[in-house]
Amino acid sequence: MSGQRARRTTTGSEAKMTSAILIVLVLLVAVLGVLLVRTLGALSTPGGGQASSGAEHAAGQDSTGRQADELVERLRTLETRAEELESLRRETEAVRARAEQVEREARDRLAGLSERERAVLELDGRVQRARDEAEQLKAEITRQGSELAAREETLRQRDRRLDERENQLGAERATAQSRADRLDARQEQLEQDRRALDAERTAVAAELERIGGLSAARARAELIARVEQDARRAAALRARRIEAEAQADADRIARGIIITTIQRIASEVTSGAVVTTVEVPSDEMKGRIIGREGRNIRAFEQTTGVNVMVDDTPGSVLLSCFDPVRREIARVTMVELIADGRIHPARIEEVHERCSEQVVSGCRRLGEQACLDLGLADIDPDLHPTIGALRYRTSYGQNVLDHMIECGRIAGSIAAELGLDPASCKRAAFLHDIGKAVVTDGAGSHALEGAELLRSHGESDAVVNAVGSHHHEIEPDCVEAVIAQTADAISGSRPGARRESLEAYVQRLERLEQIAGSHEGVDKVFAMQAGREVRVMVVPEVVDDAAGAELAETIARQVEEELTYPGNIKITVVRESRATRLAH
């Protein structure tokens, strides 16, 4: 802009200078014309003019000389002025060149300033992007803090479960010690039998050496007779040992009753969850659940007592709480709020109150239905909500209400086989875990608190004792207590009922197949009938019939030494020879 202003100023000065030069030239031409006219007039004057006086002629010449001098002086002045104008013109040209140079420098500076402005704008963009990234990082830190809080809560729950497991292991340790004592006694007996068998084998070998001169048929017959005699003797010894062990642990008839009861009960495998997932139709609904500045999610957690975890998982939010009933109420509340679409603190409190009444009513119906299914209609109706609440509780992955119903059926079957009162035994086994639904301050176990609860509702002393003693906190003093313990053990230890039992069951089957497959000549091994039978397929070219019987004996002995299991395991060695030819 300054360059344009300078250029306009230079142009105006040049115009004024040009106008002045033209005016001076015009005046100069006019003066020269006047002088020329006067000179011509004087030369053309007639002769009479010559008669004029000499004085006048001299005066005219003086006047003409003065005018000529004046004209010469003026011409010099004009030349000086022209030189000044020429000098001024040159200065003007120099000023114009300087103005053009200044204009070019101004344009260059403007270009430089434009680049700096673009750099400044780019720097502003980078600053804004850095601010956005900082906001995203802050949100990520907040989310990770929520995740860490949820993980801490999970770790605390896991610590509580580990404490419970340690208490249970303490009780199991004493049982394992007594079992180890019995195993030591059995091991000593096996050593004695093994020494006796070795002595007999030595005697048989000596006898064979003595009769080596006999015919092959007679020696084979005598050897077979000796082996048959040894096998019968070993079978008789084992039969007596098994019978003695069965009489020491429990009556053989009781085993038959328990096996019959287990076969009659068919229950599904159950597994419970610790965290509840609620489906969300869109991310917009997640925003409504969170609310402005987290207002709705804070109101929901304060009202329900349940932690809400909203993460990047599409289409779902997580509800976490140690109390499964409270978690179920929160789940129903969340589902209804999502379906309605109106989510604010007042609406959350209203829906939560209605859903609480709905879940409590559902617990009452579940408890009443469970009592009717077992034929225990005379149980105090005030216990129905407590019993129904166990539908939302699990123990090592097994649903507690289903476990109680299963125990009631098992106890009723055992009582019927023994000729006892099925109703009383079924009642005691069904109510044995009711204390798990009692809100406690940690002063007592669920068995003792369940016994106190049943006593306050008028249950019989036998039922109260069975419930209080099913974990050996107090001594059992009735047959109902023993049957309730048996039913509880059967329901909890069946394969697939609980996660720990299932793992131990699978490990035992794998170990059975490993033991049988580690011997020479074994082709395939199959553990069948829940580990009660092991079928060993041998290569007929490597293992003959006599070696097959010896292999079965060796595997059975190794299983007895390495594994702990209830009942008996049948070892079956299968040897099959096939001859195949092609007819051409």
Side-chain angles (χ1 to χ4, degrees):
M1 180 178 280
S2 59
Q4 293 177 358
R5 189 181 296 113
R7 187 166 58 253
R8 285 197 301 268
T9 303
T10 304
T11 306
S13 300
E14 291 177 353
K16 290 179 180 180
M17 187 178 298
T18 305
S19 300
I21 292 172
L22 291 176
I23 292 171
V24 170
L25 292 176
V26 171
L27 289 176
L28 182 60
V29 171
V31 170
L32 291 176
V34 171
L35 291 177
L36 182 61
V37 170
R38 286 182 180 180
T39 303
L40 292 175
L43 292 177
S44 60
T45 304
Q50 295 178 356
S52 59
S53 63
E56 291 178 354
H57 180 73
Q61 289 179 352
D62 293 336
S63 175
T64 302
R66 286 193 300 270
Q67 289 178 355
D69 293 335
E70 290 177 357
L71 288 175
V72 171
E73 186 67 24
R74 287 182 180 177
L75 286 174
R76 291 175 179 174
T77 303
L78 289 175
E79 290 177 358
T80 303
R81 293 277 183 89
E83 290 176 357
E84 291 178 355
L85 288 174
E86 182 64 21
S87 176
L88 183 61
R89 185 182 63 80
R90 288 194 296 270
E91 291 179 358
T92 302
E93 292 293 334
V95 169
R96 182 185 302 172
R98 179 63 180 168
E100 291 178 354
Q101 182 180 0
V102 169
E103 183 177 0
R104 286 194 298 272
E105 292 178 355
R107 288 198 189 97
D108 295 339
R109 290 183 179 179
L110 282 175
L113 288 176
S114 299
E115 293 178 358
R116 291 183 181 179
E117 288 178 356
R118 287 195 296 273
V120 170
L121 291 176
E122 183 178 357
L123 183 59
D124 290 340
R126 292 179 181 177
V127 171
Q128 185 62 33
R129 288 195 295 273
R131 289 177 180 174
D132 295 339
E133 291 177 356
E135 291 294 332
Q136 294 177 359
L137 182 59
K138 188 183 296 181
E140 181 68 18
I141 292 173
T142 303
R143 183 181 66 79
Q144 291 181 357
S146 303
E147 292 180 355
L148 287 176
R151 291 180 181 177
E152 289 178 357
E153 179 63 24
T154 303
L155 289 176
R156 285 195 291 271
Q157 293 179 1
R158 186 176 297 173
D159 290 339
R160 288 194 293 270
R161 290 196 297 270
L162 287 176
D163 292 338
E164 295 176 358
R165 184 70 181 275
E166 287 178 358
N167 295 332
Q168 182 180 2
L169 288 176
E172 292 178 353
R173 192 176 294 112
T175 304
Q177 184 61 37
S178 61
R179 184 178 296 173
D181 295 338
R182 292 197 300 270
L183 288 176
D184 292 339
R186 183 184 298 177
Q187 182 69 24
E188 184 178 357
Q189 181 66 30
L190 288 174
E191 288 294 334
Q192 294 177 1
D193 293 343
R194 188 178 294 109
R195 286 193 295 268
L197 184 59
D198 293 339
E200 291 178 1
R201 286 179 178 175
T202 303
V204 170
E207 185 68 17
L208 287 175
E209 290 178 358
R210 185 183 63 81
I211 63 174
L214 298 178
S215 62
R218 185 175 177 182
R220 189 181 298 110
E222 187 171 350
L223 179 60
I224 292 174
R226 286 296 185 89
V227 172
E228 184 178 357
Q229 182 180 359
D230 292 341
R232 288 179 180 178
R233 182 175 178 276
L237 290 175
R238 180 170 297 178
R240 285 198 299 270
R241 185 171 67 252
I242 292 174
E243 185 177 358
E245 291 174 357
Q247 290 177 355
D249 295 337
D251 188 79
R252 182 171 52 83
I253 299 175
R255 290 178 180 270
I257 293 173
I258 292 174
I259 293 173
T260 303
T261 302
I262 292 173
Q263 292 174 349
R264 292 173 57 189
I265 298 298
S267 301
E268 61 181 359
V269 177
T270 59
S271 180
V274 179
V275 179
T276 301
T277 302
V278 179
E279 295 183 358
V280 179
S282 63
D283 291 337
E284 179 184 1
M285 185 58 67
K286 282 188 178 181
R288 293 187 186 179
I289 293 173
I290 297 173
R292 181 178 301 174
E293 299 178 356
R295 179 185 63 178
N296 292 342
I297 197 170
R298 286 196 301 270
F300 188 92
E301 291 179 347
Q302 292 174 0
T303 303
T304 61
V306 174
N307 293 328
V308 182
M309 292 177 285
V310 181
D311 53 13
D312 296 334
T313 304
S316 66
V317 296
L318 301 179
L319 306 178
S320 175
C321 179
F322 70 94
D323 188 349
V325 178
R326 210 156 63 201
R327 190 169 67 244
E328 176 64 15
I329 294 174
R331 185 193 68 80
V332 178
T333 303
M334 181 66 73
V335 170
E336 185 167 343
L337 287 172
I338 292 173
D340 184 47
R342 295 176 297 166
I343 304 177
H344 53 81
R347 179 66 176 168
I348 290 172
E349 294 179 358
E350 176 186 356
V351 175
H352 177 262
E353 183 177 0
R354 183 169 63 253
C355 292
S356 299
E357 296 175 358
Q358 178 182 348
V359 172
V360 171
S361 177
C363 290
R364 182 182 296 276
R365 288 195 302 271
L366 288 172
E368 182 179 1
Q369 185 63 40
C371 295
L372 291 177
D373 291 342
L374 291 176
L376 303 175
D378 57 340
I379 291 180
D380 190 353
D382 292 338
L383 292 175
H384 290 166
T386 305
I387 296 173
L390 293 171
R391 168 61 68 183
Y392 305 107
R393 295 184 182 273
T394 59
S395 177
Y396 299 102
Q398 187 178 25
N399 187 275
V400 177
L401 183 58
D402 292 341
H403 168 63
M404 290 169 59
I405 295 173
E406 183 179 0
C407 289
R409 292 172 177 170
I410 293 173
S413 177
I414 294 174
E417 293 288 340
L418 295 175
L420 302 175
D421 182 14
S424 179
C425 296
K426 186 187 298 184
R427 192 186 197 94
F430 171 69
L431 297 174
H432 76 284
D433 272 345
I434 193 173
K436 290 184 177 180
V438 178
V439 179
T440 178
D441 56 356
S445 66
H446 72 275
L448 298 179
E449 291 185 352
E452 289 297 325
L453 177 65
L454 295 177
R455 183 180 288 110
S456 65
H457 284 78
E459 290 292 334
S460 63
D461 293 338
V463 173
V464 172
N465 178 261
V467 173
S469 64
H470 77 277
H471 280 316
H472 305 284
E473 281 90 350
I474 60 176
E475 290 295 326
D477 59 2
C478 58
V479 68
E480 286 86 351
V482 178
I483 292 179
Q485 292 177 5
T486 304
D488 186 22
I490 293 173
S491 176
S493 61
R494 64 178 174 81
R498 298 181 178 180
R499 283 191 290 268
E500 287 77 11
S501 299
L502 179 59
E503 291 175 1
Y505 166 74
V506 173
Q507 290 176 1
R508 181 165 62 86
L509 294 184
E510 291 177 352
R511 183 54 185 159
L512 277 174
E513 293 184 352
Q514 289 176 0
I515 291 173
S518 63
H519 295 274
E520 184 181 0
V522 176
D523 183 17
K524 298 178 181 178
V525 180
F526 303 102
M528 307 177 66
Q529 296 182 5
R532 302 297 180 183
E533 181 180 357
V534 179
R535 293 188 180 180
V536 183
M537 309 295 180
V538 298
V539 180
E541 292 80 10
V542 179
V543 180
D544 56 11
D545 293 336
E550 185 178 358
L551 178 61
E553 178 69 21
T554 303
I555 294 175
R557 188 184 304 113
Q558 189 174 356
V559 169
E560 290 175 355
E561 292 174 355
E562 297 186 13
L563 298 181
T564 301
Y565 50 90
N568 300 322
I569 297 178
K570 182 181 179 181
I571 309 297
T572 303
V573 176
V574 179
R575 176 180 180 271
E576 182 182 11
S577 298
R578 293 186 181 183
T580 304
R581 297 291 184 273
L582 295 177
H584 299 286

